[in-house]
Amino acid sequence: QTTTVLPERNSIGDPNIEMLLREGVPIMAGPDGKPGFETTGTTKPDLIELLRLRIERGEITIPKEYAGEMQAYQMTRNRVTGRPSYSAPAGLHDDRVMSLALAVWAGTRNFPVSARQPEQKSRWDVGGAESGDGSTGSPETEGSTWRRY
């Protein structure tokens, strides 16, 4: 039996997805129909809100090892647009939050996974991607932390 995966598709995720496809690993398509889930300012709030809703309804159980990361995870609302954004505080990680959110999202979908991608040259250098997340602080935002979890 083959395991289907749903990796996050971002700067570091793209080369990993390419490698998995070359190895024949089935990858679930994201909301845009491409292999993996691309987290953007539009898709991430929906993804995290689905996770929050499932937790509040008691529909999923969170591993106790995830508690610290879940408690530290923050929602910041742009004071001008009112749009939320989600992230771990500076210096912390959100890997467990994102993996749980992707698992919950994947569990709500019932569509085919991507087929093996035809062989093609990678657009990524062998040396690796640039480091840094490119995020900057803004005086237009105010933060709040998910204290419920």
Side-chain angles (χ1 to χ4, degrees), residues 94-117:
D94 69 352
D95 299 330
R96 290 177 170 174
V97 174
M98 292 306 297
S99 68
L100 190 58
L102 289 168
V104 167
W105 186 87
T108 66
R109 302 300 184 260
N110 188 16
F111 51 84
V113 297
S114 63
R116 183 177 168 135
Q117 180 174 311

Side-chain angles (χ1 to χ4, degrees), residues 6-121:
L6 179 62
E8 184 176 9
R9 188 174 72 238
N10 55 23
S11 62
I12 193 70
D14 275 338
N16 291 326
I17 289 171
E18 288 178 12
M19 178 201 61
L20 291 168
L21 287 170
R22 281 193 304 273
E23 296 295 321
V25 175
I27 298 178
M28 181 179 276
D32 60 2
K34 296 178 183 176
F37 192 105
E38 183 173 15
T39 50
T40 66
T42 302
T43 62
K44 193 172 186 178
D46 292 343
L47 182 70
I48 298 302
E49 286 299 317
L50 176 63
L51 173 61
R52 185 185 61 79
L53 181 64
R54 294 293 169 96
I55 292 169
E56 285 180 355
R57 289 181 176 170
E59 296 173 359
I60 62 170
T61 302
I62 301 170
K64 62 182 172 184
E65 297 84 9
Y66 285 41
E69 215 173 270
M70 296 293 293
Q71 289 172 345
Y73 205 69
Q74 298 177 332
M75 186 274 290
T76 304
R77 189 168 302 278
N78 184 297
R79 291 183 191 193
V80 175
T81 66
R83 293 191 60 171
S85 64
Y86 296 89
S87 64
L92 299 179
H93 300 281
D94 69 352
D95 299 330
R96 290 177 170 174
V97 174
M98 292 306 297
S99 68
L100 190 58
L102 289 168
V104 167
W105 186 87
T108 66
R109 302 300 184 260
N110 188 16
F111 51 84
V113 297
S114 63
R116 183 177 168 135
Q117 180 174 311
E119 292 296 322
Q120 62 183 9
K121 184 175 179 179

